[in-house]
Amino acid sequence: MDLNTVVEMRDARRRDSWRPGDAWLGGGTYLFSEPQPHIRRLLDLSRMGWEPVRVTAAGDLEIAATCTIAQLSRLAEAVDRPAAPLFEQCCRAFLASWKIWNMATVGGNLCNGLPAGPMISLTAALDGTCTLLSQAGEVREVPVKDFVVGAGVKDLQPGELLRSITLPVRALASRTAFRQASLYGLGRSGALLIGARDPIDGELALTVTASTVRPIQLRFAVPPNAEAVREALDHAIGPAEYFDDIHGLPAWRRHMTYRFAEEIRRELIEETGR
């Protein structure tokens, strides 16, 4: 779609003062999908030269905001970590064409803040941390699970830029379980839950996305039974936090959340024998 209100496109490497009507341009798959009448200038990130994915000295995985879905999908084939299958599972949850995969970025998916954003699901479940850069050059770090605070609402200040998402090495060593549901065969996720079992202390982390307006994570220090999981969900998710749109009613989303949570508990707790 043509954005006929845009009057300028600037290389983001050129430092300039942020002004009303500015927007960061990553892959552009969302920006160019519908009218954006408030945007006057696009700051293009495509030439920033950020390495899509790199392993830090500590063994953590740093994913650049400009990393495309296609690049992240290829990572799953090269990474020998127990949590590696989760990357491909979440990439497939896009249910998008290869054209979108080669343009859409991880950072763009997070910054849209949509409940069904599978990169939010992936990075929240693996204890990811967002690195944010202000216009003044200040660096701020926010856990992914706290970065998205509502449907389309993010913890971003005007002009602030999502630089990268870091996944800790310990989380990458977790055993994971993935469940996703949609009302249609090729539809948007109505519920997406991920379980991760800590490789050291056995803690179970259950991350709820798509069915809720924001990522909600439950942690169980000791192996929970079915009742404990149900009670934790009752306490953590209020009725107003189940998302309501054409892709699923709140009652159905709640039902699938409880069903998937129990399936994940059985897979990661009971099937291991402890």
Side-chain angles (χ1 to χ4, degrees):
M1 171 175 288
D2 292 334
L3 301 181
N4 57 16
T5 61
V6 173
V7 297
E8 183 181 359
M9 185 167 175
R10 182 175 290 252
D11 189 328
R13 294 174 298 177
R14 297 172 56 189
R15 302 295 296 177
D16 198 0
S17 298
W18 186 265
R19 60 198 191 200
D22 282 355
W24 299 110
L25 173 62
T29 54
Y30 166 72
L31 282 179
F32 291 104
S33 70
E34 59 184 51
Q36 310 286 347
H38 61 289
I39 295 179
R40 299 291 181 270
R41 184 172 68 159
L42 295 174
L43 306 179
D44 184 14
L45 297 168
S46 64
R47 298 181 181 179
M48 295 300 287
W50 296 335
E51 187 176 358
V53 180
R54 75 178 188 92
V55 179
T56 69
D60 300 337
L61 203 64
E62 184 184 69
I63 304 170
T66 50
C67 175
T68 66
I69 306 308
Q71 289 169 329
L72 192 67
S73 175
R74 290 194 290 270
L75 169 71
E77 303 173 2
V79 173
D80 184 19
R81 305 282 180 87
L86 194 59
F87 288 83
E88 183 69 12
Q89 289 169 326
C90 288
C91 287
R92 293 291 172 187
F94 266 104
L95 301 172
S97 71
W98 62 269
K99 296 178 183 179
I100 298 297
W101 272 41
N102 281 283
M103 292 300 297
T105 62
V106 175
N109 194 245
L110 266 74
C111 290
N112 278 343
L114 300 178
M119 296 298 98
I120 300 172
S121 308
L122 170 68
T123 54
L126 294 180
D127 297 334
T129 299
C130 297
T131 298
L132 307 174
L133 305 179
S134 75
Q135 287 293 297
E138 298 172 345
V139 178
R140 188 164 66 98
E141 294 190 341
V142 179
V144 173
K145 64 182 181 63
D146 299 325
F147 178 69
V148 178
V149 296
V153 184
K154 294 81 60 182
D155 181 10
L156 270 176
Q157 303 302 316
E160 204 166 29
L161 172 65
L162 173 59
R163 166 61 180 87
S164 62
I165 307 96
T166 301
L167 308 179
V169 62
R170 181 165 171 172
L172 293 169
S174 300
R175 289 186 58 244
T176 61
F178 174 93
R179 296 291 189 281
Q180 184 258 359
S182 171
L183 287 176
Y184 316 100
L186 295 176
R188 181 178 293 183
S189 297
L192 199 162
L193 275 69
I194 296 172
R197 191 83 188 273
D198 189 276
I200 298 177
D201 60 18
E203 180 184 60
L204 173 65
L206 182 65
T207 304
V208 180
T209 56
S211 57
T212 51
V213 297
R214 60 183 177 87
I216 294 176
Q217 191 172 78
L218 310 176
R219 290 187 176 273
F220 303 90
V222 296
N225 57 23
E227 182 179 359
V229 171
R230 286 196 303 270
E231 289 180 352
L233 289 170
D234 288 342
H235 178 74
I237 309 174
E241 291 192 287
Y242 285 102
F243 195 46
D244 184 5
D245 72 351
I246 193 173
H247 300 285
L249 294 173
W252 173 75
R253 293 177 190 267
R254 182 182 186 277
H255 170 76
M256 296 307 298
T257 296
Y258 280 68
R259 172 181 168 178
F260 286 161
E262 174 58 13
E263 289 181 4
I264 288 172
R265 184 195 70 83
R266 290 180 180 178
E267 180 176 336
L268 294 181
I269 299 297
E270 293 189 355
E271 292 182 8
T272 61
R274 63 182 182 89

